[in-house]
């Protein structure tokens, strides 16, 4: 079945540092890939997405490229801010055709950015 | 600004009591998901619906949990009787299934504490 593996946290960085959170996946078809972010006390919000190989999703300075050859979707940001402190979830969906509406989530990575 | 709403936001109850959580999906969305989030287990999919029909509730303890969609604007998750191990944050998410990807929009969650 489908699965997502993302790097274990927590990750602690200083403001303006470079961020990478690794995510790899296993899927039988051609999934869509997502990064969701969860701020303290809130629900998950879509951060960015990519629907096919070589697509790059980007939002709020974050980027991730759908790499089919390495089955990866690593999240990057060049300069993190304190306000980026949150839990980040990698997810995949829709790899088994039109009847699969589920998203498969990774376990989440807690990012803390210090001033 | 369309969003998923959930009520109540917080619920404290005693073991053995019935708990009902409600969700209003985004108007026009045709899929609804219930998730449970705990520190130990992370994010777990409990059940999901498409066009109000239950498609998968394999993640739900059948003896005490039930999920329904009485109409397109309301989804409910009921626990009867509740137990301390049910303490968690319960999220509802809705989505509009498209051919290319299946993005989900999350509500703010119901934080349940069972004493």
């Amino acid at each position: 079945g489908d699965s997502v593996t993302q790097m274990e946290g927590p990750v602690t960085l200083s403001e303006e540092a470079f961020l990478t959170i690794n995510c790899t996946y296993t899927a039988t078809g051609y999934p869509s890939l997502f990064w969701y972010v969860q701020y303290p006390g809130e629900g998950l919000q879509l951060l960015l997405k990519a629907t096919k190989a070589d697509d790059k999703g980007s939002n709020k300075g974050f980027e991730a490229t759908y790499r089919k050859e390495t089955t990866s979707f690593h999240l990057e940001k060049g300069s993190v801010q304190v306000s980026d402190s949150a839990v980040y979830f990698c997810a995949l969906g829709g790899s088994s055709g039109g009847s699969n509406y589920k998203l498969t989530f990774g376990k989440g990575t807690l990012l803390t950015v210090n001033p | 600004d369309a969003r998923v709403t959930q009520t109540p936001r917080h619920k404290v109850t005693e073991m053995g009591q019935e708990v009902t959580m409600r969700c209003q999906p985004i108007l026009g969305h045709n899929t609804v998901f219930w998730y449970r989030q705990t520190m130990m287990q992370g994010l777990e999919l409990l059940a999901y619906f498409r066009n109000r029909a239950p498609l998968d509730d394999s993640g739900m303890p059948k003896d005490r949990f039930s999920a329904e969609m009485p109409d397109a604007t309301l989804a409910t998750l009921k626990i009867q009787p509740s137990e301390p191990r049910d303490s968690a944050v319960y999220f509802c998410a809705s989505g509009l299934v498209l051919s290319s990807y299946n993005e989900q929009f999350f509500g703010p969650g119901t934080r349940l504490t069972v004493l």
Side-chain angles (χ1 to χ4, degrees):
Chain A
D2 296 346
S3 67
V4 173
T5 303
Q6 62 181 103
M7 68 187 277
E8 299 265 339
V11 174
T12 302
L13 297 173
S14 297
E15 207 165 22
E16 299 184 3
F18 184 85
L19 168 71
T20 300
I21 301 178
N22 290 338
C23 172
T24 57
Y25 67 89
T26 302
T28 53
Y30 302 94
S32 300
L33 299 173
F34 306 84
W35 277 101
Y36 279 81
V37 59
Q38 184 179 29
Y39 299 103
E42 298 183 11
L44 280 70
Q45 303 173 26
L46 180 67
L47 180 59
L48 53 85
K49 63 181 181 285
T51 58
K52 60 183 187 300
D54 299 325
D55 269 2
K56 177 186 284 188
S58 62
N59 186 26
K60 299 181 180 178
F62 291 89
E63 293 183 341
T65 300
Y66 189 158
R67 301 283 188 203
K68 196 169 188 300
E69 65 275 12
T70 54
T71 61
S72 65
F73 193 55
H74 304 321
L75 182 68
E76 296 182 337
K77 186 174 185 182
S79 176
V80 293
Q81 306 300 311
V82 172
S83 57
D84 294 327
S85 298
V87 180
Y88 292 81
F89 293 89
C90 185
L92 72 83
S95 73
S96 300
S99 62
N100 180 9
Y101 311 113
K102 296 192 290 186
L103 290 178
T104 300
F105 285 90
K107 292 188 181 302
T109 302
L110 173 63
L111 170 66
T112 301
V113 181
N114 295 318
Chain B
D1 184 23
R3 59 183 67 191
V4 176
T5 59
Q6 291 186 247
T7 56
R9 292 294 311 276
H10 303 272
K11 177 72 176 179
V12 179
T13 191
E14 295 190 346
M15 182 174 64
Q17 297 298 304
E18 177 178 301
V19 174
T20 298
M21 291 169 271
R22 293 177 174 80
C23 166
Q24 182 172 10
I26 292 173
L27 189 65
H29 281 186
N30 61 356
T31 54
V32 173
F33 304 80
W34 282 105
Y35 292 89
R36 176 172 63 186
Q37 186 178 41
T38 60
M39 288 295 292
M40 293 298 294
Q41 300 297 327
L43 196 62
E44 303 173 276
L45 178 65
L46 298 176
Y48 72 101
F49 296 76
R50 182 173 187 245
N51 295 330
R52 296 176 54 202
L55 285 194
D56 185 349
D57 61 0
S58 59
M60 217 162 58
K62 301 290 191 304
D63 55 339
R64 298 183 301 107
F65 284 60
S66 62
E68 296 179 347
M69 278 201 75
D71 61 61
T73 63
L74 177 64
T76 62
L77 179 67
K78 189 174 295 186
I79 308 174
Q80 168 63 20
S82 58
E83 297 182 1
R85 59 180 167 150
D86 301 329
S87 297
V89 181
Y90 291 81
F91 290 105
C92 174
S94 72
L96 178 61
V97 174
L98 301 174
S99 59
S100 59
Y101 64 92
N102 45 354
E103 179 179 343
Q104 294 179 20
F105 296 79
F106 280 73
T110 294
R111 181 174 296 276
L112 174 66
T113 303
V114 183
L115 302 174

